[in-house]
């Protein structure tokens, strides 16, 4: 309701507004009623009360006071009259205010100092003050001392004689001795060189064969990738024959429930044989008689004798087999040597490999190679391939200086809820 | 009975190693701080031989450090600085939050900083140790100096790297120690011999390229911090070994100085000095200006075990090296605008030549193109406008090939418009029996002083890499049947929407009961649905490891498909806009 009234008022106040009744003007309609205001509210004190006359009077008074001494009234203030002394007796003199302890002594020292200063002698405290150096507050200490200040100074760090701060015993007792760096830390973590030059096929204007060599290597890398993909595809391949037909479904569901006579007969025959064999095996063994024991002992002795005889004859025969024994031993040694060499080569190759230092495996970067049609004819038309930044980063990982790292993903702690706007809800 | 029983994992390798998180807690540092400390001190994680023993029975991949190394870290004074910095950050944040600007200023002025000098002295006790590790440092510094000066890494680091690389290049020029150069598709490889050490470094090309996202910038920045300090100290030592002033100053006598007015066009006063230095066209000032004295030839006595032959061979080698160092002496080069100025200027000056370029390209050009005494002009365009008579117009590969061949090669092969001979790598050493490219044979013949008789030109047949193209292409697995289905569903949805609108507007729907339509069962669609189901079943039956691999592959494929689609959409949008423009033009 108030909004409608406001709207009407605004419309009426527009210039050129025509009322239906020609006698009535827009101004009558607007100012017909005045809004009732509560003047007791603090909010409305400033808004709806007119204090202009009071302000004028006060301004007048203040102006008079500024220009003349006391303004309108020229009487002295009552407070001033009260504070005046009305007794005719003079107040007593405060002797202590005039007394100064040590006045004579101080006067004498001051005179002495003056005489000395006149002669040019400067007292000790002043001398020390003058010797103090001025603090340099203009230069920004931190900027010049920062490690990456472009104007920083370098000095001969290896040529200086070791600054002997003190005796080693003293340094140790005062805990100022620097700890020695362990020797193991000076070993390089990898045998690879710091900068690996690209193969000759990577030249901007390469020789034909070396370029083909490089392409072949890249080709092999791609082949390996394709192999992995093919393997996955094969795993996902599905045999049509394995689809469940109605017959197989029925058989599965009905397994064990339905008794079919044909199959039972077939199963009976093999079952019986099995039972008999089982029965035979469970038969209890009779106790061994003395004779059986003796017989067994004699057999054992004979066996042993035979074996010893055999061994003896073998040893004798080995004399004649020396040559073949030699060759077999040689072969064994050769194989062990080959194996040792292979193992050593593997170890060396392993050393050159990047170690597994963390969660992620080392991913070598893509080979930088330009196809035959991408090769530039001149240095001006060359389009660089690969980035040195990535190359350096990967080289640091390869040399085991840092662990392979991946860009940190943005993980939300709380799930995001998707809500449609009301307007869209009506549509869909 | 009753003997002391040994518990598992209480002695031996299990107690020698400590996991990363445990180490971090022992040092009371946050993970990035711990990483930074390890990089600065040179402490690297170790892979134990028997992981199961160290990991107390499990084979989960964890990062292990040697316990002794971590104990050594505890004594490092920088650890205290890291903690101070953490507190500084906390106080700064509070001051910002309370909008106490005076406190902010005060804190900023007293920001804790640290220096790495003692670490360098500890890690590289002798100068030769430092020289051995300078390859990595150089590569990092050159790499960082090519970064754009946005706020990603400290601009000061980039400036410092630029200064150090310029100083290094000036040193190599002054000592004439460059030996090999190789232009590859990745960057330019240089090899120099400094104090008996072979130092190889790679410089990226100057064209701007997108930086890869996977690289951890903080780690690289920490390495750079260490390496800049190292390189600075090494530079100081190298300069003092050559009797040059450090920080380097340009030699003011002898060279014709560029006028003062033109310098304002290039750089601010503060930076103009560095820029002039980086132009690599002027020589450096020495500590003690020494006139060229003839060094008395020392008598050479053969060392023990060496025959006269070997000594003579060594002498011959030294002479060859001396001759190589003066390869471009007496030659005057002029570089055109389109060639890589810094690299060529560096190579030319390293071998004693004089070089200049156009005034508007860079500060420090000594002579103009109209100079009559120029012997070679390096151009990379197919043709050039005005040709002077007494100079050769050659392509930049001539310079690099000459450096690698150690002699001045015939210029005819490198004229403008001529197909260049291949740029061979000087870093490959062919053993007997390996294939040696004919160009290299020719070069070796030239080196020996023979002139090549018949130039055998081999037809370079470039085979089409069919197999590769197929493998590199994507196998898109979108079924066409699905697209049709989608269209039908979309049509149905539209219908429903229309009906809803009508209802909302209060009109009665014209719905009648009509006889049902026969929906033809799409056989192809059924088949495909079956296939999809079978696939899903097979996926369910895969083992966890295999499923993980499969997911990775599928993700990669989908991403490629999405990117291809994006590109196709962009292309389409572009084509459409072109068509619209054409239509408008016609109207």
């Amino acid at each position: 309701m108030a909004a409608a009234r406001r709207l009407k008022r605004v419309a009426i106040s527009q210039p050129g507004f025509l009322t239906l009744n020609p006698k009535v003007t827009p101004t009558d309609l607007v100012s017909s009623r005045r809004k009732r205001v509560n003047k007791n509210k603090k909010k409305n004190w400033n808004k709806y009360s007119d204090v202009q006359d009071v302000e004028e009077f006060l301004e007048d008074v203040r102006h008079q006071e500024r220009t003349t001494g006391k303004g309108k009234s020229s009487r002295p203030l009552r407070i001033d009259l009260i504070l005046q002394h009305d007794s005719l007796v003079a107040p007593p003199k405060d002797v202590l205010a005039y007394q100064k302890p040590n006045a004579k002594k101080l006067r004498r020292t001051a005179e002495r100092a003056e005489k000395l200063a006149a002669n040019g002698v400067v007292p000790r405290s002043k001398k020390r003050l003058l010797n103090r150096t001025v603090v340099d507050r203009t230069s920004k200490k931190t900027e010049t001392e920062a490690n990456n200040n472009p104007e920083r100074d370098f000095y001969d760090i290896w040529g200086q004689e070791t600054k002997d701060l003190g005796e080693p015993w003293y340094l140790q007792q005062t805990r100022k001795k620097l700890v020695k760096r362990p020797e193991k830390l000076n070993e390089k973590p990898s045998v690879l060189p710091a900068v690996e030059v690209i193969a000759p096929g990577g030249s901007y204007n390469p020789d034909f064969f070396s370029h083909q060599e490089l392409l072949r290597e890249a080709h092999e890398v791609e082949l390996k990738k394709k192999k992995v993909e093919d393997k996955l595809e094969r795993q996902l391949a599905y045999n049509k024959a394995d689809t469940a037909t109605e017959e197989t479904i029925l058989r599965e569901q009905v397994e064990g429930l339905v008794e079919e006579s044909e199959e039972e007969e077939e199963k009976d025959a093999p079952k019986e044989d099995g039972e008999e064999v089982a029965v035979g095996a469970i038969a209890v063994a009779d106790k061994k008689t003395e004779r059986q024991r003796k017989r067994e002992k004699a057999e054992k002795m004979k066996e042993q004798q035979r074996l010893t005889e055999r061994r003896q004859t073998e040893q004798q025969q080995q004399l004649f087999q020396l040559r073949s024994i030699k060759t077999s031993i040689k072969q064994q040694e050769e194989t062990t040597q080959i194996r040792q060499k292979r193992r050593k080569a593997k170890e060396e190759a392993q050393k050159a490999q990047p170690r597994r230092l963390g969660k992620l495996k080392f991913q070598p970067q893509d080979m930088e190679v330009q196809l035959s049609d991408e090769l530039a004819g001149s240095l001006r038309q060359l389009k660089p391939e690969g980035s040195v930044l990535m190359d350096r980063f990967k080289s640091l990982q390869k040399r085991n200086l840092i662990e392979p790292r991946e860009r940190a993903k943005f993980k939300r702690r709380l799930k995001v809820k998707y809500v449609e706007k009301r307007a869209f809800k009506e549509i869909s | 009975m009753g003997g002391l029983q040994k518990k598992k994992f209480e002695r031996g390798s299990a107690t020698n190693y400590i996991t990363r998180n445990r180490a971090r807690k022992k040092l009371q540092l946050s993970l990035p701080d711990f990483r930074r400390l390890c990089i600065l001190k040179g402490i690297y994680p170790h892979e134990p031989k028997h992981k199961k023993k160290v990991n107390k029975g499990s084979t989960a991949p964890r990062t292990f450090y040697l316990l002794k190394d971590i104990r050594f870290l505890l004594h490092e004074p920088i650890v205290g600085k890291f903690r101070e910095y953490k507190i500084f950050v906390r106080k700064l944040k509070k001051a910002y939050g309370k909008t106490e600007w005076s406190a902010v200023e005060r804190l900023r002025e007293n920001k804790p900083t640290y220096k790495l000098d003692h670490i360098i002295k500890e890690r590289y006790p002798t100068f030769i140790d430092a020289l051995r590790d300078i390859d990595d440092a150089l590569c990092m510094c050159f790499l960082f100096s090519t970064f754009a000066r946005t706020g990603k890494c400290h601009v000061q680091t980039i400036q410092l790297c630029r200064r150090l690389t310029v100083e290094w290049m000036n040193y190599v020029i002054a000592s004439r120690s460059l030996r090999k150069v190789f232009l590859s598709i990745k960057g330019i490889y240089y090899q120099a011999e400094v104090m008996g050490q072979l130092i190889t470094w790679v410089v990226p090309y100057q064209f701007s390229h997108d930086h890869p996202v996977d690289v951890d910038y903080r780690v690289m920045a920490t390495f750079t911090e260490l390496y800049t300090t190292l390189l600075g100290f090494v530079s100081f030592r190298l300069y003092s070994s050559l009797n040059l002033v450090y920080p380097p100053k340009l030699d003011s006598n002898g060279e014709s100085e560029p006028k003062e007015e033109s310098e304002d066009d290039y750089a601010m006063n503060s930076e103009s000095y560095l820029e002039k230095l980086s132009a690599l066209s002027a020589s450096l000032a020495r500590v003690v200006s020494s006139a060229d004295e003839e060094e008395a030839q020392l008598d050479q006595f053969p060392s023990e075990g060496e025959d006269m032959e070997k000594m003579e061979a060594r002498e011959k080698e030294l002479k060859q090296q001396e001759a190589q160092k003066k390869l471009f002496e007496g030659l005057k080069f002029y570089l055109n605008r389109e060639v890589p100025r810094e690299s060529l200027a560096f190579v030319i000056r390293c071998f004693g030549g004089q070089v200049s370029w156009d005034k508007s390209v860079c500060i420090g050009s000594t002579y103009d193109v109209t100079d009559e005494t120029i012997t070679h002009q390096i151009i990379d365009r197919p043709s050039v406008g005005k040709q002077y008579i007494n100079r050769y117009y050659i392509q930049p590969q001539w310079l690099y090939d000459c450096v690698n061949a150690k002699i001045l090669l015939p210029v005819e092969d490198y004229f403008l418009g001529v197909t260049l001979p291949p740029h061979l790598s000087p870093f490959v050493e062919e053993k007997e029996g390996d294939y040696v490219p004919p160009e290299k044979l020719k070069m070796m013949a030239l080196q020996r002083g023979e002139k090549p008789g018949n130039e055998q030109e081999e037809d370079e047949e470039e085979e089409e890499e069919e197999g590769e193209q197929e493998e590199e292409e994507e196998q898109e697995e979108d079924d066409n049947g699905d697209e049709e289905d989608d269209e039908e569903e979309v049509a149905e949805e539209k219908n429903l929407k229309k009906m809803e609108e009508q209802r909302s507007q209060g009109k009665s729907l014209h719905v009648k009961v009509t006889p049902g339509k026969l929906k033809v069962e799409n056989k192809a669609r059924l088949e495909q649905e079956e296939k999809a189901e079978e696939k899903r079943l097979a996926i369910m039956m895969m083992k966890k490891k295999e499923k993980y691999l499969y997911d990775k592959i599928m993700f990669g494929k989908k991403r490629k498909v999405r990117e291809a689609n994006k590109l196709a959409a962009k292309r389409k949008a572009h084509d459409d806009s072109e068509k619209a423009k054409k239509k408008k033009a016609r109207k």
Side-chain angles (χ1 to χ4, degrees):
Chain A
M1 214 159 63
R5 255 189 272 150
R6 208 186 316 139
L7 193 60
K8 277 193 193 160
R9 221 180 303 140
V10 170
I12 287 168
S13 62
Q14 298 298 324
F17 182 80
L18 295 170
T19 53
L20 284 171
N21 198 348
K23 289 187 197 161
V24 182
T25 53
T27 42
D28 297 344
L29 288 170
V30 174
S31 54
S32 53
R33 253 208 279 177
R34 203 177 279 129
K35 196 170 168 192
R36 286 209 216 130
V37 182
N38 186 6
K39 284 205 209 162
N40 294 334
K41 294 254 174 201
K42 195 170 176 180
K43 254 198 210 175
N44 299 333
W45 291 347
N46 238 350
K47 270 202 235 174
Y48 296 106
S49 43
D50 188 21
V51 290
Q52 194 56 36
D53 43 355
V54 178
E55 290 281 329
E56 275 182 33
F57 171 71
L58 285 174
E59 185 60 41
D60 206 25
V61 168
R62 281 187 222 122
H63 181 74
Q64 276 208 10
E65 278 187 6
R66 266 184 272 146
T67 49
T68 63
K70 259 202 311 176
K72 260 198 171 172
S73 59
S74 52
R75 271 170 54 189
L77 293 174
R78 190 172 171 78
I79 192 83
D80 290 335
L81 292 170
I82 294 173
L83 287 174
Q84 272 178 2
H85 295 300
D86 38 3
S87 137
L88 291 166
V89 179
K93 224 164 70 166
D94 187 10
V95 184
L96 290 175
Y98 292 106
Q99 287 183 346
K100 273 192 226 166
N102 271 346
K104 260 200 206 155
K105 193 174 179 187
L106 289 171
R107 220 184 310 139
R108 243 183 283 148
T109 50
E111 282 168 9
R112 221 182 295 151
E114 266 182 42
K115 258 192 250 168
L116 287 172
N119 285 345
V121 180
V122 182
R124 206 170 292 165
S125 52
K126 274 237 172 62
K127 246 195 244 173
R128 290 190 71 208
L129 274 175
L130 288 171
N131 281 344
R132 272 204 221 160
T133 49
V134 183
V135 174
D136 190 10
R137 291 212 181 272
T138 51
S139 64
K140 278 202 186 158
K141 189 184 81 154
T142 53
E143 255 191 38
T144 49
E145 269 198 18
N147 204 32
N148 58 357
N149 177 21
E151 316 295 328
R152 74 164 280 178
D153 251 349
F154 292 104
Y155 54 91
D156 193 3
I157 200 173
W158 291 285
Q160 278 174 1
E161 275 72 38
T162 50
K163 285 189 283 184
D164 228 6
L165 294 166
E167 221 197 17
W169 163 256
Y170 166 73
L171 286 175
Q172 192 193 20
Q173 289 302 305
T174 51
R175 318 259 174 126
K176 289 214 178 106
K177 189 169 184 188
L178 295 170
V179 182
K180 197 176 74 143
R181 187 181 171 94
E183 280 300 321
K184 253 201 173 176
L185 284 176
N186 292 336
E187 286 168 7
K188 292 232 175 94
S190 171
V191 297
L192 294 170
V195 178
E196 285 174 6
V197 186
I198 200 172
S203 156
Y204 90 103
N205 183 6
D207 168 48
F208 176 66
F209 285 110
S210 36
H211 187 229
Q212 293 295 315
E213 185 72 31
L214 198 64
L215 285 175
R216 196 170 57 81
E217 278 176 39
H219 175 79
E220 276 170 16
V221 167
E222 291 289 323
L223 265 181
K224 270 197 205 152
K225 275 198 225 164
K226 184 126 204 320
K227 250 196 190 173
V228 170
E229 283 186 24
D230 283 345
K231 187 172 168 200
L232 272 177
E233 293 285 319
R234 256 182 287 136
Q235 280 184 332
L236 290 177
Y238 190 76
N239 198 359
K240 269 277 160 114
D242 292 339
T243 341
T245 56
E246 292 227 2
E247 200 188 305
T248 50
I249 294 175
L250 191 65
R251 211 190 299 167
E252 229 185 279
Q253 287 177 342
V254 141
E255 218 166 317
L257 297 174
V258 174
E259 290 180 10
E260 295 179 25
S261 51
E262 295 171 12
E263 290 188 284
E264 261 196 11
E265 281 182 18
E266 284 175 32
K267 278 187 203 163
D268 271 344
K271 251 194 203 168
E272 287 173 7
D273 294 335
E275 276 178 341
E276 279 180 3
V277 166
V279 166
I282 304 171
V284 181
D286 294 324
K287 214 177 171 192
K288 273 192 205 168
T289 52
E290 282 285 336
R291 206 190 286 173
Q292 267 190 327
R293 284 217 188 108
K294 264 194 221 162
R295 204 191 296 166
E296 275 182 8
K297 226 189 244 180
E299 272 182 28
K300 230 197 231 177
M301 292 274 290
K302 233 197 244 176
E303 191 68 32
Q304 280 200 3
Q305 257 188 351
R306 199 166 57 84
L307 277 174
T308 46
E309 263 185 39
R310 205 160 166 218
R311 249 180 258 144
Q312 271 192 347
T313 48
E314 265 190 33
Q315 278 185 359
Q316 282 178 353
Q317 290 299 336
Q318 272 183 1
L319 275 173
F320 302 112
Q321 290 173 353
L322 270 177
R323 214 183 293 163
S324 58
I325 291 173
K326 224 188 191 177
T327 47
S328 69
I329 288 177
K330 232 196 220 173
Q331 266 198 358
Q332 276 180 9
E333 274 183 6
E334 265 176 40
T335 47
T336 47
Q337 275 202 354
I338 289 173
R339 277 201 206 131
Q340 271 181 358
K341 262 191 225 159
R342 221 184 287 164
R343 206 182 301 152
K344 265 205 188 137
K346 220 184 183 182
E347 265 185 43
E348 292 292 315
Q350 272 290 332
K351 269 197 208 160
Q353 288 285 333
R355 318 244 113 253
R356 180 76 188 270
L357 290 171
K359 203 163 80 156
L360 299 165
K361 281 205 186 135
F362 170 71
Q363 302 272 17
Q365 64 198 115
D366 299 328
M367 286 195 67
E368 287 118 6
V369 64
Q370 282 192 332
L371 300 175
S372 315
D373 42 353
E374 285 174 5
L375 284 175
S378 72
L379 197 56
R380 184 172 51 102
Q381 291 160 345
L382 172 67
K383 188 162 180 282
E385 186 96 17
S387 113
V388 178
L389 177 61
M390 188 59 138
D391 173 63
R392 292 276 92 221
F393 190 55
K394 290 287 179 184
S395 161
L396 290 171
Q397 286 175 7
K398 226 196 279 186
R399 282 181 283 147
N400 305 325
L401 298 177
I402 49 177
E403 63 210 31
R405 295 197 60 209
E406 217 178 42
R407 192 183 170 82
K409 285 184 247 185
F410 179 64
K411 280 191 187 154
R412 281 191 194 273
R413 275 214 205 130
L414 310 163
K415 269 203 288 186
V416 175
K417 201 167 142 185
Y418 289 103
V419 180
E420 277 179 325
K421 275 195 188 172
R422 269 214 185 157
F424 295 133
K425 262 195 191 163
E426 286 180 351
I427 297 174
S428 59
Chain B
M1 286 300 287
L4 289 165
Q5 289 185 335
K6 281 204 231 172
K7 272 198 181 165
K8 255 187 162 182
F9 309 126
E10 256 182 21
R11 61 196 86 210
S13 47
T15 47
N16 289 343
Y17 288 91
I18 186 176
T19 62
R20 188 189 64 189
N21 278 339
R22 278 254 172 87
R24 196 174 62 78
K25 285 202 188 120
K26 200 173 167 89
L27 287 160
Q28 295 176 328
L29 285 175
S30 67
L31 185 58
D33 278 342
F34 175 72
R35 266 206 199 104
R36 199 179 301 155
L37 181 66
C38 284
I39 290 173
L40 290 176
K41 289 285 279 185
I43 304 242
Y44 311 117
H46 253 256
E47 193 192 10
K49 266 201 185 144
H50 303 281
K51 226 192 234 175
K52 251 189 168 174
K53 279 192 205 168
V54 172
N55 216 352
K56 308 220 169 95
S58 91
T59 45
R62 279 217 182 93
T63 320
F64 289 105
Y65 290 84
L66 284 170
L67 188 59
K68 284 200 181 149
D69 295 348
I70 302 294
R71 277 212 209 112
F72 170 64
L73 270 183
L74 282 168
H75 299 284
E76 175 59 40
I78 284 193
V79 174
K81 293 283 184 179
F82 283 165
R83 293 187 195 135
E84 273 178 35
Y85 191 79
K86 186 171 87 162
I87 292 170
F88 159 76
V89 167
R90 194 194 300 159
K91 285 189 186 165
L92 196 65
K93 265 197 210 165
K94 258 202 204 165
Y96 257 109
K98 293 188 184 170
T99 60
E100 289 171 6
W101 303 116
S102 58
V104 166
E105 254 192 58
R106 172 178 51 89
L107 285 167
R108 274 248 167 82
E109 270 176 31
N110 298 331
K111 182 173 165 178
T113 55
Y114 56 87
K115 283 227 152 131
L116 299 176
D117 305 357
H118 64 284
I119 293 186
I120 302 286
K121 185 81 207 283
E122 177 196 297
R123 278 179 80 170
Y124 307 104
T126 64
F127 177 57
I128 296 292
D129 292 331
L131 260 190
R132 283 203 203 107
D133 263 357
I134 206 85
D135 296 21
D136 228 348
L138 279 171
C139 291
M140 281 295 216
C141 285
F142 271 100
L143 175 65
F144 264 69
S145 62
T146 59
F147 279 1
R149 291 175 198 201
T150 59
K152 221 176 181 184
C153 23
H154 290 271
V155 179
Q156 289 185 320
T157 314
I158 300 177
Q159 284 175 327
L160 182 61
C161 286
R162 175 105 180 105
R163 170 190 150 197
L164 289 170
T165 52
V166 164
E167 285 173 9
W168 170 259
M169 285 202 282
N170 274 307
Y171 168 76
V172 174
I173 290 175
S175 65
R176 306 271 181 101
S177 28
L178 190 64
R179 299 278 178 265
K180 296 183 184 168
V181 185
F182 180 42
L183 292 165
S184 78
I185 47 181
K186 206 186 329 185
I188 309 181
Y189 287 87
Y190 295 99
Q191 190 177 68
E193 191 181 336
V194 175
M195 302 212 173
Q197 301 283 333
L198 284 172
I199 296 174
T200 321
W201 72 95
V202 61
V203 177
Y205 286 114
Q206 297 279 32
F207 333 128
S208 65
H209 32 253
D210 291 328
H211 284 291
V213 202
D214 308 348
V215 176
D216 191 351
Y217 277 94
R218 252 185 267 182
V219 163
M220 304 297 264
T222 317
F223 270 108
T224 310
E225 214 183 308
L226 175 71
Y227 286 147
T228 48
T229 329
L230 175 65
L231 187 57
F233 284 120
V234 166
S235 286
F236 183 91
R237 188 62 185 247
L238 290 172
Y239 269 72
S240 54
S241 76
L242 276 188
N243 260 346
L244 292 168
V245 172
Y246 188 90
K249 287 196 174 42
L250 294 171
D251 198 11
S252 46
N253 44 329
E255 298 275 338
S256 55
E257 292 237 327
K259 291 179 198 129
E260 288 291 325
E261 301 101 61
S262 57
E263 281 172 20
D264 289 340
D265 301 333
Y266 296 108
M268 307 187 304
N269 276 337
S270 53
E271 297 189 346
S272 70
Y273 201 75
L274 183 61
E275 290 297 315
K276 268 195 257 178
L277 206 62
S278 67
L280 302 172
S281 57
S283 58
L284 300 173
R286 294 180 178 264
V287 170
V288 180
S289 53
S290 53
D292 281 287
E293 301 163 6
E294 272 198 34
E295 293 172 11
Q297 287 282 332
L298 300 166
D299 281 335
Q300 304 223 336
F301 294 102
S303 53
E304 284 175 46
E306 265 195 15
D307 316 334
M308 281 297 293
E309 291 177 12
K310 278 194 192 165
M311 214 182 66
E312 274 175 17
R314 218 164 18 109
E315 270 188 44
K316 213 171 142 193
E317 248 185 69
L318 281 171
K319 269 199 199 146
Q320 267 186 357
Q321 267 194 10
E322 291 293 316
Q324 189 199 0
K325 284 184 191 173
K326 301 187 181 152
L327 194 62
F328 292 146
E329 203 129 321
L331 301 179
K332 256 179 138 176
F333 293 88
Y334 186 82
L335 304 176
N336 225 15
R337 284 160 192 271
E338 66 274 356
V339 299
R341 187 202 66 82
E342 204 169 278
S343 164
L344 283 170
F346 176 54
V347 169
I348 291 172
R349 296 266 356 260
C350 263
F351 289 96
Q354 287 178 304
V355 63
S356 178
W357 45 84
D358 195 70
K359 274 216 184 81
S360 53
V361 168
C362 183
I363 202 173
S365 79
T366 38
Y367 45 85
D368 207 13
V369 67
T370 48
D371 195 340
E372 297 290 327
T373 49
I374 294 178
T375 52
H376 297 77
Q377 185 164 347
I378 315 289
I379 300 191
D380 211 354
R381 291 191 194 141
S383 65
V384 71
K386 183 175 174 196
Q387 294 220 359
Y388 288 81
I389 302 173
N390 53 342
R391 62 172 84 154
Y392 292 119
Y393 290 84
I394 44 177
Q395 304 191 34
Q397 199 184 309
W398 180 78
L399 283 161
Y400 297 115
D401 284 345
C402 281
V403 169
N404 289 335
K406 300 184 196 158
I407 50 163
L408 287 174
L409 295 172
V411 193
E412 291 84 37
D413 301 330
Y414 298 89
F415 277 151
L416 301 182
V418 175
T419 319
L420 292 168
H423 178 62
L424 304 165
S425 164
F427 291 100
V428 68
E429 286 155 13
E430 278 116 4
K431 298 166 236 170
E432 286 183 27
D434 278 354
Y435 165 75
V436 181
E439 286 80 13
K440 188 147 191 192
L441 288 168
K442 213 168 48 161
M443 195 170 62
M444 293 204 283
L446 275 171
Q447 282 178 338
R448 276 175 266 142
E450 304 160 10
K451 273 200 180 156
N454 302 332
E455 290 182 355
Q456 297 168 359
E457 290 178 32
E458 286 196 30
D459 297 338
E460 293 186 351
E461 294 160 355
E462 292 172 350
E463 301 169 11
E464 286 172 334
E465 314 299 329
E466 297 164 352
E468 273 185 74
Q469 300 281 353
E470 284 177 12
E471 272 141 20
E472 283 164 18
E473 273 176 14
E474 258 310 308
Q475 295 172 7
E476 303 206 358
E477 298 188 352
D478 289 304
D479 297 334
N480 288 330
D482 281 339
E483 283 185 23
E484 287 176 6
D485 286 346
D486 288 339
E487 283 175 18
E488 286 178 17
E489 288 174 20
V490 165
E492 279 184 39
E493 269 194 47
K494 274 197 188 153
N495 224 357
L496 280 171
K497 271 194 206 166
K498 252 204 231 163
M499 293 170 60
E500 290 253 6
E501 272 184 37
Q502 287 185 333
R503 200 193 295 172
S504 69
Q505 290 182 7
K507 302 182 190 158
S508 60
L509 298 168
H510 304 284
V511 187
K512 279 187 281 179
V513 178
T514 48
K517 285 184 235 170
L518 186 68
K519 257 197 174 172
V520 178
E521 286 263 345
N522 204 343
K523 258 197 181 172
R525 203 179 128 192
L526 270 179
E527 257 190 58
Q528 268 152 11
E529 271 183 12
E530 261 192 63
K531 253 197 211 166
E533 222 188 277
E534 290 160 14
K535 204 173 183 184
R536 252 176 282 148
L537 264 174
I539 291 174
M540 272 201 292
M541 298 220 298
M542 281 204 286
K543 284 196 236 170
K544 205 177 184 183
K545 264 194 209 170
E546 291 160 6
K547 180 148 199 307
Y548 179 65
L549 258 173
Y550 177 72
D551 278 338
K552 263 184 150 178
I553 291 180
M554 285 315 288
F555 178 72
K557 278 198 180 162
K558 283 193 189 147
R559 187 165 29 150
K560 282 198 189 155
V561 165
R562 258 186 275 141
E563 278 180 24
N565 286 346
K566 244 197 249 177
L567 283 170
K570 265 193 190 170
R571 179 73 207 212
K572 201 171 164 229
H574 175 75
D575 285 339
D576 288 343
S577 67
E578 291 285 301
K579 271 195 199 163
K581 271 191 206 165
K582 276 189 193 161
K583 276 193 185 163
K584 275 193 188 168
R586 262 189 234 150
K587 279 185 186 170

